[in-house]
Amino acid sequence: MKFALGVDIGGTKTALGLVDSEGQVLSKTSLATDLSLTPDEMVGKMADAARTLLSYNGLQAADLQGIGIGAPGPLNTRLGQIAEPPNLRSWWGFPIVQAFQSHFAAPIVLENDATAAALAEKWVGAAKTADHFVYITISTGIGAGIYSHGRLITGASGNAGDIGHMVVDPAGGACNCGQRGCFEYIASGTAIAREASALLGRPVTSKEAFELAFSGQDPAMEQLVHRVFEYMGIGCVTLINTFDPELIVIGGGVSQVGSPLFDAVSGYVKRHALNPSGRTTPVIPAELQQDAGLIGAAALIHIKY
C-alpha cells in the first residue's frame, strides 16, 4: 500500500491527513492557521503535525509517496507559490513548495483547494463516473474545480475555477476584490451571515439565518434565502452554459442545508440553462464534505490528473 500526505490549508484552519492509494484516510489532524506566525513558522508546525501522524501509524517520512497541498487562490502552481489569497495576506508570494521541501524529501504538488476537492470527488466521491463535471464549494467563500474530458482544467497558473469573483449581480455591493456583486460576495456563507445580521440588527450566523427562513416565521429571512438560492442558480447556469458538464457537485458548509438548496438550484437550472440538455444537468451534493480537501490534496499524488 502506498501513502500520501494531504495538506488542506485554509484561512483559519489547516487539515492534514494520511491517505492510502484507495482514497481511505488512515488518520488526520488539524491545527489553527496562525497568522501571527510567519509562513515558514507555520509550515514548521505543519511538518511537526505530519511527523506525528506518520509516527502514530508506524510510518516514516521515507514511506510517503508524496505530499499534496491544497490552498486558497490565487496561487502560482507553476512556481509553487501562494500568490495573493485575500484571507492569507501575510502569505502573499510565499514559496510554499520550497518551504515543505526543507522538511521532506518526497515529491510535493500544489493546487488550488477547490481543484483538489474536485479531484477527490472524482476519485472516491460523488463524481466517480463523470468525465465532465464542475465541483462548487460554497462556504466562507465560493470556488470551483473543473473536470472536463477526463482531466482537471487548472489553467496557466493553477487558478481556473475561481468563480467566487465572477460578477452575478452588479447591484449586490462592493467585493473586496474591487468588483461589484461577485458570486462570493452575495451568495457565500459569509454573505448570508452579513446580510442577515444587517436585517436583524444583531450578529447572525448563516446557519441561524437558514433556520429562521425555514421556520416560516421570518419573511425577511425567507426573502434573503430565496435570493441567495437564485444567485446560486445563476452561478450554476453560467457554468453549465460555459462548460457543458454532465454533472454539478456542490459541497462546502452551506451545502449542508440540503434539499431546499438543491431543489431551488435544480429548478432554476431547469428554467434557465440555454441548451435543452443543460436544463437536465443533475445538481447533487458532494459526498466527502469536510475530508474533501485533504483527500483531494493526497489525490494529487496518488492519481494522474
Side-chain angles (χ1 to χ4, degrees), residues 204-271:
V204 179
T205 64
S206 58
K207 182 175 183 290
E208 185 182 356
F210 283 120
E211 289 171 349
L212 289 168
F214 300 149
S215 73
Q217 298 175 5
D218 194 319
M221 289 300 104
E222 287 185 64
Q223 291 174 11
L224 170 61
V225 168
H226 174 78
R227 185 168 68 249
V228 167
F229 286 168
E230 185 167 277
Y231 288 147
M232 293 176 186
I234 292 170
C236 287
V237 165
T238 300
L239 292 167
I240 289 167
N241 290 347
T242 303
F243 294 105
D244 191 24
E246 61 191 286
L247 190 65
I248 297 281
V249 179
I250 302 181
V254 173
S255 72
Q256 298 301 299
V257 169
S259 295
L261 183 155
F262 288 93
D263 291 346
V265 173
S266 294
Y268 191 95
V269 167
K270 284 181 174 66
R271 294 190 300 274

Side-chain angles (χ1 to χ4, degrees), residues 147-225:
Y147 195 91
S148 187
H149 295 278
R151 59 174 294 175
L152 282 175
I153 304 300
T154 57
S157 60
N159 292 296
D162 204 351
I163 64 168
H165 296 281
M166 66 181 185
V167 174
V168 170
D169 181 1
C175 180
N176 61 9
C177 76
Q179 295 197 104
R180 299 187 65 83
C182 287
F183 195 13
E184 180 172 295
Y185 186 77
I186 60 177
S188 64
T190 303
I192 295 162
R194 184 189 67 245
E195 292 298 315
S197 299
L199 285 167
L200 297 178
R202 62 177 176 84
V204 179
T205 64
S206 58
K207 182 175 183 290
E208 185 182 356
F210 283 120
E211 289 171 349
L212 289 168
F214 300 149
S215 73
Q217 298 175 5
D218 194 319
M221 289 300 104
E222 287 185 64
Q223 291 174 11
L224 170 61
V225 168

Side-chain angles (χ1 to χ4, degrees), residues 74-79 81 111 154-160:
L75 308 173
N76 189 323
T77 57
R78 187 169 50 83
L79 298 178
Q81 294 178 352
E111 285 289 356
T154 57
S157 60
N159 292 296

Side-chain angles (χ1 to χ4, degrees), residues 99-125:
F100 265 89
Q101 285 171 337
S102 69
H103 295 276
F104 298 98
I108 299 168
V109 179
L110 171 68
E111 285 289 356
N112 179 275
D113 50 3
T115 296
L119 190 60
E121 291 291 338
K122 170 61 182 175
W123 188 22
V124 291

Side-chain angles (χ1 to χ4, degrees), residues 9-45:
I9 299 174
T12 58
K13 183 186 80 170
T14 294
L16 301 94
L18 280 175
V19 181
D20 68 22
S21 53
E22 301 297 319
Q24 298 300 307
V25 180
L26 275 68
S27 59
K28 60 184 178 179
T29 189
S30 65
L31 57 158
T33 305
D34 189 344
L35 299 182
S36 70
L37 300 177
T38 68
D40 272 314
E41 289 170 334
M42 192 64 215
V43 168
K45 290 174 70 71

